[in-house]
Amino acid sequence: MKGIFPIDKFQSLRTPFYYYDTKVLRDTLSAIRAEAGRYGNYSVHYAVKANANPKVLAIIRESGLGADCVSGGEIRAAVKAGFPAGKVVFAGVGKSDWEINLALDYDIFCFNVESIPELEVINQLAAAKGKVARVAFRINPNVGAHTHANITTGLAENKFGISMEDMDKVIDIALSMPHVEFIGLHFHIGSQILDMGDFVALCNRVNELQDKLEARQIRISYINVGGGLGIDYAHPNRQSIPDFKAYFATYNTHLKLRSYQTLHFELGRSVVGQCGSLIARVLYVKQGTNKQFAILDAGMTDLIRPALYQAYHKIENISSERPVETYDVVGPVCESSDVFGKAVDLNGVQRGDFMAIRSAGAYGEIMASVYNCRELPQGYTSDEMI
Ligand code: LLP
């Protein structure tokens, strides 16, 4: 065992694979429970899109979180993992009829609706089943987040949500429909947000919109502020648990929640990001013209974040105590962007060494693909390694 990894147990496993440290996950969930629990009327949903590995989902479900789903497949995965349907919310700009029907059959807590045409379809499909669907509107708050352009969602130019100008109109339409019950508003401004000021900006926007609703004597019981809390990719060991205290306190200080309201959150990355590492073996060390490459058996098909978002993940040679050298760490996929890191300092690398690509629990395994006819990586938890 070097550091936190049971390398001896890794020997018999086919690489690459995801390794989930369940102590980190459980400690993270305890911190969420403790910090959200201070405020009585806060309800946290886990954003299943971040990681739907059944073993990970089971641990999260045990902690009592609800589930935030963006597809019928995610609703199925959540229900299968034991999340109560009454704690499932369903978002997404393009919900298919079968997905809406599935959600109606399960009687999920709420549809987070993103357009009038979608509202009409939900009303029709609910009518056909003799049901009333609870709906909230996802409002695009036009609040920027200081994060990567590909993962901001709350700007007017993004495809998500309904514009603030249309809010009154869509609410009137919903109130006139017999098979939907309008219960609240939903927001999400982006992901990997570390500047609490971004959440303050969202709170201020929610307060404005609430005042508008109150002026119209419309009472809503549900406010959902989405997810987005970031993690420390540079220091996965030093800061393995995100600052949930500051996060929930920010909402408590700045969002004027009414006594009859519940504030919902949809956290993904901050729940699972730090518990997961992608474990690969070194296939070859190759000397280039003026650099050396560590070529791994894991590639962008296993973890696409560096290629897609130029995301930084800390890389460690967990087999080696040799003197540090500098490498470009790359995968075997036939794409120049199949690079995990350039000029990375690592303990001297040899063929067969295990490498850990850290902070990969969120948007790692779930975004894996079979490009180049590669196999999907397996996921193992530390509980299985005892
Ligand atoms: N709620 C909604 C409506 C969302 O769209 C998202 C993420 C979440 C909650 C969860 O956000 P989180 O707490 O994880 O930031 N694949 C990208 C991230 C995409 C995020 C999409 N939406 C990445 O690897 O960085």
Side-chain angles (χ1 to χ4, degrees), residues 47 49-50 68 70 91 138 151 153 160 186-188 190-192 226-229 233 266-270 305 309 362-363 367:
K49 65 175 78 67
D68 159 43
V70 290
R138 176 169 180 178
I151 50 178
T153 47
F160 298 100
H186 174 232
F187 307 86
H188 176 74
S191 201
Q192 184 53 18
L229 177 62
Y233 281 96
E266 300 170 340
L267 295 173
R269 189 189 314 268
S270 54
R305 303 193 70 258
Y309 313 118
Y363 307 109
M367 291 179 79

Side-chain angles (χ1 to χ4, degrees), residues 30-41:
S30 301
I32 294 173
R33 252 201 322 271
E35 295 304 333
R38 290 174 191 274
Y39 306 110
N41 44 1

Side-chain angles (χ1 to χ4, degrees), residues 275-333:
C275 76
S277 297
L278 176 62
I279 307 295
R281 275 198 195 253
V282 177
L283 292 174
Y284 306 105
V285 177
K286 171 167 139 171
Q287 293 300 324
T289 317
N290 43 27
K291 52 169 75 168
Q292 55 183 349
F293 297 94
I295 303 173
L296 310 189
D297 60 4
M300 61 190 285
T301 52
D302 305 295
L303 176 65
I304 200 173
R305 303 193 70 258
L308 192 58
Y309 313 118
Q310 293 74 52
Y312 171 80
H313 285 262
K314 190 172 166 63
I315 304 173
E316 293 169 358
N317 184 349
I318 57 174
S319 296
S320 166
E321 304 280 356
R322 293 179 285 267
V324 170
E325 294 183 44
T326 305
Y327 303 84
D328 277 14
V329 181
V330 304
V333 175

